[in-house]
C-alpha cells in the first residue's frame, strides 16, 4: 500500500505554476528522493504534502485517506527542516518531547519514547543541552529524533544536509540512510544534490519547472533518462548531447572513449577535437568538439587518469567512439525515443 | 604651543563641552530636586545663592504632598491606567505583529506601515471628536476613558516593534510546531511567545511610559481631581488660583519622573531601533 | 519502530480545522488592531472633518451643515493667522537647534571617556520624562520673581537687577522660552538617533576613507552623512510632528500668552474647541495640522520603502 499518494497536484502563485500536475506515490518503507534544481518546485511540493501550503488543485492521500482538508498536525507526518527548526528555548529532551506533549501523551510513556529515540540516535548524553550548544550534526539528529517520536506515517525531509559542511555531510548521509533502514518509515527527501539522491534514494523523482520529469530507481534514472533534462541533470560532467536527424543523440562522458580502447563491433565512431584537458587525479576530463556534429555545449570525455595519456594532447584530433548500446536517442521535444533507432 | 599643551587644551575643551551639554539637559531636574527639599524661606529668597541649601533641607513638601493632596491617588490612577493599557496593548499587538510578520507578500508590509503611521496621528488632531465619542460611551470624566484611548498610540508602535522582532524568528520554528501537532494559536503560544520574552518586556515598558507621558487626552477628558492621572493632577491641581506651591510641585514632578526616566534609559536602544526600523542597514 | 508503535492517532474533528487555516487565522489575528485603529483613530478623524463643516458647539450640539463658513471665519481671524505662523516658527527653530545640539552631543558622546554612561543617561532625561512635568520645572526656572536664570545672569552682571527679565510675560522672551523648552526636550532624541547612526557606520569604510586621504570634514559629509541620512530623516519627521502638534508645552508654560503671542495650533484649538466650547471652529483649527502630517507621512513612507529594497 502506498504510504503517501499525490494526485495531479498543482500549485499556482500568480501566473506561475510552482507545481504543475505532479502525481506520485511513496511505498511503505520507501526512501523517495525529490531531486531538482533550486526553484523547481520540489520544496513547495513537500510543503503541500506536509499541509504547510495548500494545493491549488489535486488530492493528497496519506495512509489511504484523503487529507486535503486536514491540517499538518493531524496528517500523521513528521518533518525535518533545512535548518532543523529546533525550539531554541527548549532543551534537547523537551524538543523531542514536544510533539508528544501536544498529543497529551502520559508522562512515563513520553519518557520512554524520548529516551528510546535519543538512544537510537546516540544523543542521550545531550538531553539537557539547548540547541544553540549543539553542533550541526547533533542538531540534525535531534531533529530526526523529534520526527521519530511521533511515529509518523511518513518523514518529510527538506534538504536536511545542506547546512552541514562538506566533510560532515558524507557521514551524515550514510547515518541518515542507515537510520531510515532501521526504522523503515516511508521517507520523502528533498535535495538538489544528485550525489545525495543517487546514494540514498530507493527511488528518485526528478522535478523541473514544477513538473515530474521521471521517477525510478537511481539506475533507471541514470541509465535510461526519460528526457534530455534528466539526462543532463545527473552525472558529472553531464551527458553529451549532439545533434542528429530528428532530435539529438546522447552519451555519457565515461562512455566516450578513444577508439582503440573499445573492442568489438557496434561502435559509433566520432572524430573528437580536444581543446582542453583536466587532470583530476583518478580521472581525466577532455573538453572539445565532435567534427560534423554540432552541439549546444562543449562535449566532454571522462577517461581513467592514465589511459592513452601519450596519444592525447590539447589541440589534437582523435578518433573516439561510443558503444551503440550506450547511446541515448531523444526526439525533437527532448523525449527519449526507441533505442537503436536508425541513426 | 607644545603637543602636550595642545592635548591638554583639547581634552579640557572636550570635557567643558560635555559638562555644558549635561548641564543644559539635566539642570531642570537638579532644580526639581533641590526645590523639593528646600524650606519655603530658602526658596523664596533672592539674597542667597539658590544652587544649594542655605537652610537645612526639609521633608515638609513631600509630607504635604502625600498627606494633604491627592498625589497618591494620582499615582495609583496612573498605575491602574498603565497596567490596563499595557494589557490591552499586548492582547491586540502580539497577534497583530505576528500576523504581519508571517503574512506573505506586499499587502502585509503595507498594512504594517499603515498601522505604524497612525502613531504619527497626534492627540491634537483627535481630542475634539474623541471627547465626543467618550461622552457618547458615558466615560466622560472617568479614568477609563484614558484606558480606552491610550491604546490608539501604544498599539501602532508596539505592533510595529513586535512585527520586527517576529520577523527575526525563523519561520521554521512555527512550522515545526504546526507539524508537531499544534494549531496555529498553539504554535504561537508555545513556541513564539516564549522566544519573544525580551520583546514583550520592551513593549510593556514602552506602553507604560508612553501612557505615563500623555497629557492632552487627560486634560481634555477629565476634570474631577480623583480621576486624574499623575501628569494632569500635578500640573493642574497643585496650583491654587494663581499660587504655585513650587516645593510640592517639584517634588511631585520628581517622584513621578524617576521611574519613567530609569525605564527609558534601560530600553533606549530597543526604542531607537523600533523607530528607525533598521533604516541604516538598508 | 513497530515495537513502540501503538494504535493510530484519533483524527480531530474537521469542524475545528478552520482554526488551522492561515488564510483565516492571519486576518483574525490582525483584526483587533485594525478595528481599534479604525474605531478610535479613523472614525474620530472623519468626525473632526464633519465638525469642521457644521455649526456644532457644546451648547448647541446641532450637526447643521454650514459648509466652508467655519473655515472662512477661521482664516479671517488675525489670531489664527498669527498662530499658524507661530507654529511653523516654533517648529522650525526648535528643530534646527535640536538637531544641531543632537549632532554635537552625539559627536561628544561617541568618544570613550570615563563617565560616558552617566552623561548619556543624564542627556536623555529631557526626552524621557513626562513633558508636562518637565515643563513645570522650566516654568519655575522662568518664574517672574525667583527665576534661577535671572539670578545667575544678575550674579555674573549680564542683567540689571532693577529690571529683571519677565520670561513668560513679554512677547519675545516668551517665544524664546517656548523654543528653549522645545529644543531642550527634542535634542536628546537627536543625540540618540545620531549616536545610533554613527555607530552603524562600518569601521572599514571610515578606515578606507582615511587611507584615501579624506580629512575630518570630508569623512563627515561625504561618508558619514549619506549613510545615516535615512535615520536622520526619520528622526526629523518624528521630531517635527511631535513639536508641530504639541500643545502641552505652550499650554502649561504660557497658555498661549502674553496676548496670544505664543499661541500654536494645538493650544488655540484647545482653547476654542474645549474651553470655549466652539467645537466646529476648534476642529477647523486642528485640521490645519493635517496637510502637514500628510506630507510628513509621505516622506516617511518613502524612507521606509527604500529600506525594504
Amino acid at each position: 500500500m502506498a504510504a503517501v499518494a499525490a494526485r495531479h497536484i498543482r500549485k499556482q502563485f500568480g501566473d506561475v505554476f510552482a507545481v504543475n500536475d505532479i502525481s506520485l506515490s511513496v511505498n511503505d518503507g520507501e526512501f523517495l528522493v525529490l531531486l531538482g534544481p533550486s526553484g523547481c518546485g520540489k520544496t513547495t511540493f513537500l510543503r503541500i504534502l506536509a499541509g504547510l501550503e495548500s494545493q491549488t488543485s489535486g488530492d493528497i492521500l496519506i495512509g489511504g485517506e484523503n487529507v486535503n482538508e486536514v491540517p499538518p498536525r493531524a496528517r500523521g507526518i513528521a518533518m525535518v527542516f533545512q535548518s532543523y527548526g529546533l525550539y531554541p528555548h527548549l532543551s534537547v529532551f523537551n524538543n523531542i518531547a514536544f510533539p508528544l506533549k501536544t498529543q497529551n501523551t502520559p508522562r512515563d510513556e513520553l519518557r520512554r519514547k524520548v529516551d528510546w529515540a535519543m538512544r537510537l540516535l546516540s544523543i542521550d548524553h545531550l538531553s539537557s543541552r539547548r540547541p544553540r550548544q549543539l553542533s550541526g550534526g547533533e542538531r540534525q539528529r535531534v531533529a530526526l529524533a523529534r520526527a521519530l517520536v511521533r511515529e509518523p506515517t511518513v518523514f518529510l525531509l527538506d534538504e536536511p544536509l545542506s547546512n552541514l559542511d562538506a566533510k560532515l555531510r558524507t557521514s551524515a548521509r550514510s547515518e541518515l540512510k542507515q537510520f531510515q533502514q532501521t526504522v523503515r518509515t516511508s521517507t520523502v527527501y528533498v535535495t538538489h544534490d544528485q550525489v545525495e539522491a543517487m546514494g540514498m534514494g530507493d527511488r528518485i523523482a526528478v522535478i523541473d519547472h514544477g513538473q515530474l520529469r521521471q521517477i525510478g530507481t537511481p539506475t533507471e534514472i541514470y541509465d535510461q533518462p526519460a528526457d534530455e533534462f534528466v539526462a543532463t541533470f545527473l552525472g558529472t560532467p553531464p551527458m553529451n548531447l549532439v545533434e542528429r536527424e530528428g532530435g539529438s543523440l546522447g552519451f555519457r562522458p565515461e562512455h566516450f572513449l578513444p577508439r582503440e580502447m573499445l573492442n568489438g563491433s557496434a561502435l559509433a565512431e566520432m572524430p573528437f577535437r580536444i581543446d582542453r584537458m583536466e587532470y583530476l587525479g583518478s580521472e581525466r576530463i577532455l573538453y572539445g568538439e565532435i567534427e560534423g556534429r554540432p552541439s549546444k555545449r562543449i562535449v566532454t570525455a571522462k577517461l581513467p587518469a592514465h589511459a592513452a595519456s601519450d596519444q592525447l594532447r590539447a589541440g589534437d584530433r582523435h578518433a573516439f567512439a561510443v558503444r551503440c548500446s550506450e547511446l541515448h536517442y531523444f526526439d525533437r521535444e527532448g523525449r527519449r525515443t526507441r533505442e537503436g533507432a536508425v541513426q | 604651543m607644545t603637543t602636550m599643551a595642545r592635548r591638554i587644551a583639547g581634552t579640557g575643551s572636550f570635557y567643558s563641552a560635555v559638562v555644558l551639554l549635561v548641564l543644559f539637559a539635566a539642570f531642570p531636574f537638579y532644580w526639581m530636586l533641590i526645590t523639593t527639599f528646600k524650606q519655603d524661606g530658602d526658596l523664596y529668597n533672592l539674597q542667597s545663592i539658590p544652587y544649594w541649601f542655605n537652610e537645612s533641607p526639609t521633608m515638609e513638601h513631600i509630607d504635604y504632598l502625600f498627606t494633604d493632596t491627592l498625589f497618591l491617588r494620582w499615582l495609583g490612577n496612573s498605575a491602574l491606567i498603565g497596567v490596563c493599557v499595557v494589557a490591552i496593548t499586548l492582547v491586540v499587538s502580539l497577534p497583530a505583529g505576528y500576523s504581519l510578520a508571517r503574512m506573505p507578500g506586499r499587502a502585509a508590509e503595507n498594512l504594517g506601515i499603515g498601522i505604524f503611521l497612525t502613531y504619527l496621528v497626534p492627540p491634537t488632531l483627535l481630542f475634539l471628536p474623541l471627547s465626543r465619542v467618550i461622552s457618547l460611551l458615558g466615560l466622560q470624566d472617568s479614568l477609563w476613558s484614558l484606558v480606552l484611548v491610550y491604546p490608539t498610540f501604544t498599539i501602532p508602535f508596539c505592533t510595529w516593534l513586535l512585527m520586527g522582532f517576529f520577523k527575526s524568528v525563523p519561520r521554521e520554528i512555527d512550522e515545526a510546531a504546526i507539524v508537531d501537532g499544534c494549531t496555529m494559536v498553539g504554535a504561537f503560544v508555545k513556541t513564539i511567545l516564549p522566544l519573544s520574552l525580551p520583546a514583550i518586556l520592551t513593549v510593556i515598558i514602552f506602553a507604560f511610559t508612553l501612557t505615563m507621558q500623555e497629557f492632552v487626552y487627560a486634560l481634555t477628558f477629565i476634570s474631577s481631581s480623583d480621576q486624574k492621572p499623575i501628569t494632569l493632577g500635578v500640573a493642574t491641581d497643585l496650583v491654587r488660583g494663581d499660587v504655585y506651591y513650587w516645593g510640592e510641585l517639584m517634588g511631585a514632578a520628581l517622584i513621578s519622573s524617576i521611574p519613567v526616566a530609569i525605564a527609558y534609559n534601560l530600553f533606549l536602544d530597543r526604542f531607537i531601533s523600533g523607530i528607525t526600523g533598521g533604516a541604516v542597514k538598508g | 519502530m513497530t515495537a513502540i508503535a501503538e494504535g493510530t492517532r484519533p483524527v480531530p474533528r474537521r469542524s475545528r480545522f478552520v482554526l488551522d487555516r492561515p488564510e483565516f487565522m492571519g486576518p483574525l489575528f490582525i483584526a483587533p488592531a485594525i478595528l481599534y485603529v479604525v474605531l478610535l483613530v479613523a472614525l474620530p478623524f472623519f468626525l473632526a472633518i464633519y465638525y469642521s463643516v457644521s455649526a456644532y458647539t457644546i451648547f448647541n450640539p446641532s450637526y447643521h451643515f454650514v459648509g466652508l463658513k467655519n473655515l472662512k471665519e477661521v482664516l479671517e481671524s488675525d489670531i489664527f493667522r498669527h498662530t499658524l505662523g507661530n507654529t511653523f516658527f516654533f517648529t522650525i527653530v526648535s528643530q534646527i537647534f535640536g538637531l544641531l545640539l543632537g549632532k554635537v552631543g552625539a559627536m561628544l558622546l561617541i568618544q570613550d571617556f570615563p563617565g560616558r554612561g552617566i552623561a548619556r543617561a543624564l542627556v536623555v532625561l529631557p526626552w524621557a520624562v513626562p513633558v508636562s512635568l518637565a515643563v513645570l520645572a522650566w516654568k519655575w526656572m522662568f518664574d517672574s520673581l525667583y527665576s534661577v536664570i535671572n539670578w545667575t545672569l544678575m550674579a555674573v552682571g549680564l542683567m540689571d537687577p532693577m529690571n529683571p527679565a519677565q520670561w513668560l510675560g513679554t512677547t519675545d522672551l516668551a517665544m524664546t522660552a517656548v523654543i528653549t523648552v522645545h529644543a531642550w526636550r527634542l535634542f536628546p532624541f537627536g543625540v540618540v538617533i545620531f549616536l545610533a547612526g554613527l555607530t552603524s557606520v562600518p569601521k572599514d569604510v571610515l578606515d578606507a576613507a582615511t587611507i584615501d586621504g579624506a580629512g575630518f570634514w570630508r569623512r563627515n559629509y561625504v561618508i558619514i552623512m549619506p549613510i545615516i541620512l535615512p535615520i536622520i530623516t526619520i528622526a526629523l519627521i518624528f521630531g517635527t510632528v511631535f513639536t508641530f502638534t504639541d500643545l502641552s508645552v505652550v499650554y502649561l508654560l504660557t497658555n498661549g500668552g502674553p496676548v496670544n503671542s505664543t499661541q500654536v495650533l494645538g493650544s488655540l484649538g484647545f482653547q476654542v474647541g474645549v474651553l470655549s466650547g466652539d467645537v466646529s471652529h476648534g476642529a477647523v483649527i486642528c485640521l490645519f495640522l493635517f496637510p502637514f502630517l500628510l506630507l510628513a507621512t509621505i516622506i516617511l513612507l518613502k524612507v521606509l520603502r527604500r529600506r525594504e529594497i
Side-chain angles (χ1 to χ4, degrees):
Chain A
M1 186 192 76
V4 180
R7 290 191 191 140
H8 303 292
I9 297 297
R10 281 172 197 269
K11 174 72 180 180
Q12 200 168 3
F13 290 116
D15 298 337
V16 188
F17 279 104
V19 175
N20 197 350
D21 197 17
I22 291 186
S23 298
L24 54 76
S25 59
V26 188
N27 300 325
D28 258 344
E30 184 183 34
F31 196 113
L32 178 78
V33 177
L34 302 182
L35 176 69
S38 50
C40 72
K42 57 190 189 301
T43 294
T44 307
F45 180 70
L46 190 78
R47 291 169 59 84
I48 290 172
L49 288 184
L52 291 171
E53 309 255 3
S54 54
Q55 65 268 34
T56 310
S57 65
D59 296 310
I60 301 286
L61 284 80
I62 293 180
E65 198 188 340
N66 185 317
V67 293
N68 286 358
E69 299 299 321
V70 178
R73 64 190 163 91
R75 284 191 178 191
I77 49 155
M79 190 155 172
V80 174
F81 293 85
Q82 197 163 4
S83 4
Y84 313 128
L86 298 179
Y87 310 119
H89 59 300
L90 299 180
S91 66
V92 165
F93 184 93
N94 283 324
N95 257 284
I96 300 170
F98 189 90
L100 298 174
K101 283 184 180 159
T102 63
Q103 298 170 17
N104 297 320
T105 312
R107 185 184 292 241
D108 36 324
E109 191 190 337
L110 178 141
R111 250 235 98 82
R112 190 163 49 85
K113 285 187 176 176
V114 174
D115 283 341
W116 165 74
M118 288 199 297
R119 261 200 314 281
L120 190 74
L121 287 144
S122 346
I123 47 171
D124 24 358
H125 59 294
L126 303 172
S127 158
S128 55
R129 298 256 191 102
R130 292 287 170 90
R132 86 176 83 83
Q133 299 167 301
L134 305 177
S135 71
E138 287 166 344
R139 282 180 204 183
Q140 193 209 343
R141 281 190 248 167
V142 175
L144 281 173
R146 186 175 68 183
L148 184 61
V149 291
R150 297 200 69 195
E151 295 155 34
T153 320
V154 59
F155 286 137
L156 305 176
L157 295 94
D158 185 8
E159 311 220 15
L161 303 184
S162 61
N163 276 342
L164 304 179
D165 61 54
K167 215 165 160 190
L168 201 56
R169 209 176 298 170
T170 319
S171 62
R173 197 162 67 209
S174 53
E175 264 175 34
L176 188 59
K177 178 68 185 170
Q178 213 170 18
F179 162 79
Q180 196 265 342
Q181 279 168 345
T182 315
V183 300
R184 301 278 353 146
T185 302
S186 311
T187 301
V188 181
Y189 183 103
V190 161
T191 185
H192 63 271
D193 183 339
Q194 45 164 312
V195 182
E196 279 176 22
M198 299 290 284
M200 298 169 87
D202 294 327
R203 281 193 303 157
I204 299 174
V206 184
I207 296 174
D208 180 49
H209 284 95
Q211 284 173 318
L212 180 64
R213 308 306 285 255
Q214 187 175 8
I215 182 163
T217 63
T219 331
E220 284 166 1
I221 299 276
Y222 193 78
D223 293 342
Q224 288 147 42
D227 58 23
E228 287 182 5
F229 173 80
V230 178
T232 51
F233 189 70
L234 281 111
T236 29
M239 182 182 280
N240 295 309
L241 288 176
V242 294
E243 279 182 17
R244 73 176 171 95
E245 210 176 312
S248 60
L249 183 67
F251 48 92
R252 298 224 171 255
E254 63 267 31
H255 299 143
F256 186 49
L257 299 169
R259 169 71 184 82
E260 62 270 22
M261 285 176 70
L262 296 164
N263 39 34
S265 55
L267 297 181
E269 228 173 279
M270 285 174 254
F272 187 44
R273 206 191 63 231
I274 305 161
D275 293 333
R276 196 160 60 81
M277 287 202 288
E278 260 173 18
Y279 172 68
L280 298 176
S282 64
E283 65 211 19
R284 244 183 332 159
I285 314 278
L286 278 51
Y287 300 85
E289 247 177 65
I290 292 170
E291 289 181 356
R293 282 194 185 270
S295 166
K296 283 188 201 98
R297 275 182 304 182
I298 295 170
V299 173
T300 55
K302 184 149 95 177
L303 274 62
H306 299 287
S309 52
D310 347 325
Q311 290 99 322
L312 302 173
R313 249 178 286 282
D316 281 3
R317 185 170 160 281
H318 198 93
F320 269 59
V322 186
R323 283 202 178 87
C324 286
S325 57
E326 316 215 269
L327 285 173
H328 305 266
Y329 296 86
F330 301 99
D331 63 18
R332 282 207 178 79
E333 276 74 50
R335 278 190 299 264
R336 181 180 198 85
T337 58
R338 192 168 52 83
E339 255 173 271
V342 192
Q343 207 180 315
Chain B
M1 231 198 292
T2 65
T3 328
M4 189 65 166
R6 206 177 298 148
R7 191 177 301 155
I8 290 173
T11 318
S13 53
F14 171 74
Y15 276 104
S16 333
V18 172
V19 167
L20 272 178
L21 192 79
V22 170
L23 264 185
F24 178 57
F27 184 78
F29 300 103
Y30 174 74
W31 202 234
M32 277 185 195
L33 183 74
I34 196 121
T35 305
T36 305
F37 296 104
K38 268 190 184 179
Q39 297 188 20
D40 271 343
D42 195 0
L43 273 181
Y44 307 119
N45 177 355
L46 284 169
Q47 307 314 315
S48 53
I49 296 170
Y51 301 125
W52 194 241
F53 296 102
N54 299 293
E55 296 169 33
S56 56
T58 174
M59 290 295 287
E60 76 181 271
H61 300 311
I62 301 277
D63 283 344
Y64 179 83
L65 204 55
F66 280 98
T67 52
D68 292 319
T69 71
L70 286 168
F71 184 68
L72 267 181
R73 169 83 196 216
W74 299 330
L75 267 185
N77 286 348
S78 273
L80 176 64
I81 295 168
V83 168
C84 295
V85 171
V86 165
I88 294 175
T89 306
L90 284 180
V91 167
V92 175
S93 295
L94 279 170
Y98 180 61
S99 175
L100 286 175
R102 289 298 187 252
M103 227 186 250
R106 208 78 182 151
E109 193 192 311
N110 289 338
L111 205 55
I113 291 179
I115 288 181
F116 180 53
L117 286 178
T118 55
Y119 182 61
L120 279 182
V121 178
T124 316
L125 200 61
L126 298 179
F127 68 80
L128 283 172
L130 270 178
S131 65
R132 176 76 195 138
V133 172
I134 292 299
S135 65
L136 276 177
L137 294 172
L139 289 175
Q140 71 271 45
D141 215 6
S142 148
L143 60 84
W144 296 107
S145 63
L146 302 181
V147 171
L148 181 73
V149 168
Y150 284 174
T152 55
F153 54 84
T154 58
I155 288 172
F157 188 71
C158 295
T159 301
W160 178 259
L161 212 88
L162 287 168
M163 179 184 82
F165 183 84
F166 290 141
K167 272 186 178 168
S168 72
V169 176
R171 224 193 172 100
E172 283 189 355
I173 290 181
D174 10 348
E175 289 183 342
I178 285 170
V179 172
D180 280 348
C182 291
T183 57
M184 294 187 70
V185 178
F188 178 56
V189 172
K190 283 185 191 146
T191 63
I192 305 300
L193 285 190
L195 283 174
S196 314
L197 289 179
I200 293 173
L201 190 64
T202 310
V203 163
I204 291 175
I205 298 292
F206 276 109
F208 199 86
T209 48
L210 287 175
T211 309
M212 285 289 283
Q213 291 176 328
E214 211 287 326
F215 180 73
V216 175
Y217 287 138
L219 179 68
T220 317
F221 300 160
I222 294 182
S223 49
S224 306
S225 290
D226 64 344
Q227 294 291 313
K228 287 181 177 176
I230 188 81
T231 43
L232 182 64
V234 171
T236 57
D237 279 37
L238 289 182
V239 186
R240 308 284 140 65
D242 256 354
V243 185
Y244 288 80
Y245 294 83
W246 289 113
E248 286 79 19
L249 266 170
M250 291 298 103
L254 189 71
I255 293 170
S256 9
S257 298
I258 290 170
V260 187
I262 292 175
Y264 237 75
N265 261 300
L266 288 179
F267 288 86
L268 188 64
D269 296 329
R270 284 179 200 278
F271 183 80
I272 295 302
S273 63
I275 273 201
T276 56
V280 163
K281 278 171 207 137
Chain C
M1 183 75 186
T2 40
I4 201 126
E6 49 220 44
T8 44
R9 275 160 303 278
V11 174
R13 281 215 324 276
R14 238 153 241 222
S15 54
R16 290 179 54 205
F17 290 168
V18 67
L19 293 179
D20 288 300
R21 297 187 157 279
E23 60 273 25
F24 176 77
M25 292 306 286
L28 187 72
F29 267 37
I30 201 168
I34 292 179
L35 209 64
Y36 221 111
V37 166
V38 166
L39 285 182
L40 288 173
V41 178
L43 221 63
F45 175 69
F46 289 113
L47 198 57
I49 294 181
Y50 192 75
Y51 284 151
S52 70
V53 292
S54 67
Y56 189 97
T57 68
I58 44 174
F59 316 108
N60 177 18
S62 89
Y63 287 98
H64 175 62
F65 182 79
V66 297
L68 297 178
K69 178 170 156 281
N70 296 328
L71 178 69
K72 190 160 166 284
E73 283 165 5
V74 165
L75 281 175
E76 278 167 0
S77 133
D78 285 339
I79 293 176
F80 173 78
R81 279 186 300 215
H82 188 64
T83 300
L84 193 63
N86 276 349
T87 312
F88 275 101
F89 181 70
F90 286 153
T91 306
I92 292 166
V93 176
S94 50
Q95 282 304 307
I96 292 171
F97 279 112
L99 271 189
L100 279 179
L101 270 175
K103 177 92 203 285
V104 172
M107 284 165 78
L108 290 174
L109 289 177
I110 202 169
Q111 314 289 337
D112 205 5
F113 60 90
R116 178 170 70 158
I118 295 169
R120 194 187 90 155
L122 289 175
V123 164
V124 171
L125 280 180
W127 182 49
V129 304
V131 59
S132 55
L133 302 177
V135 170
L136 289 177
W138 279 99
K139 194 174 170 92
W140 170 219
M141 286 161 63
F142 287 132
D143 190 77
S144 54
L145 265 179
Y146 302 102
S147 164
V148 63
I149 298 168
N150 284 359
W151 189 94
T152 311
L153 290 173
M154 288 175 203
V156 297
L158 286 173
M159 191 182 282
D160 176 9
M162 292 295 101
N163 189 17
Q166 293 297 312
W167 287 100
L168 305 177
T170 49
T171 311
D172 292 347
L173 288 179
M175 293 183 104
T176 315
V178 169
I179 288 172
T180 309
V181 174
H182 269 306
W184 173 81
R185 175 166 162 68
L186 210 62
F187 97 91
F189 182 54
V191 170
V192 288
I193 291 277
F194 270 109
L195 267 181
L198 288 177
T199 43
S200 73
V201 176
K203 183 120 186 4
D204 49 353
V205 174
L206 284 180
D207 289 345
T210 313
I211 289 166
D212 290 344
F216 174 81
W217 292 109
R218 183 171 291 266
R219 280 208 301 277
N220 209 354
Y221 289 105
V222 180
I223 313 285
I224 299 178
M225 286 311 269
I227 293 181
I228 65 176
L229 197 64
I231 217 176
I232 303 305
T233 316
I234 292 180
L236 192 65
I237 289 165
F238 272 88
T240 312
V241 167
F242 289 144
T243 317
F244 194 76
T245 64
D246 183 77
L247 76 83
S248 39
V249 171
V250 165
Y251 178 81
L252 289 169
L253 202 61
T254 64
N255 202 6
V259 276
N260 289 321
S261 61
T262 57
Q263 203 72 268
V264 289
L265 286 178
S267 58
L268 187 65
F270 185 79
Q271 256 180 16
V272 174
V274 176
L275 300 181
S276 316
D278 186 354
V279 178
S280 53
H281 287 88
V284 171
I285 294 166
C286 290
L287 279 172
F288 264 88
L289 296 167
F290 185 68
F292 184 78
L293 280 172
L294 201 65
L295 186 71
T297 307
I298 290 166
I299 300 172
L300 187 66
L301 269 179
K302 285 224 153 100
V303 179
L304 286 175
R305 284 246 189 273
R306 204 172 47 188
R307 175 184 63 100
E308 304 291 339
I309 301 162

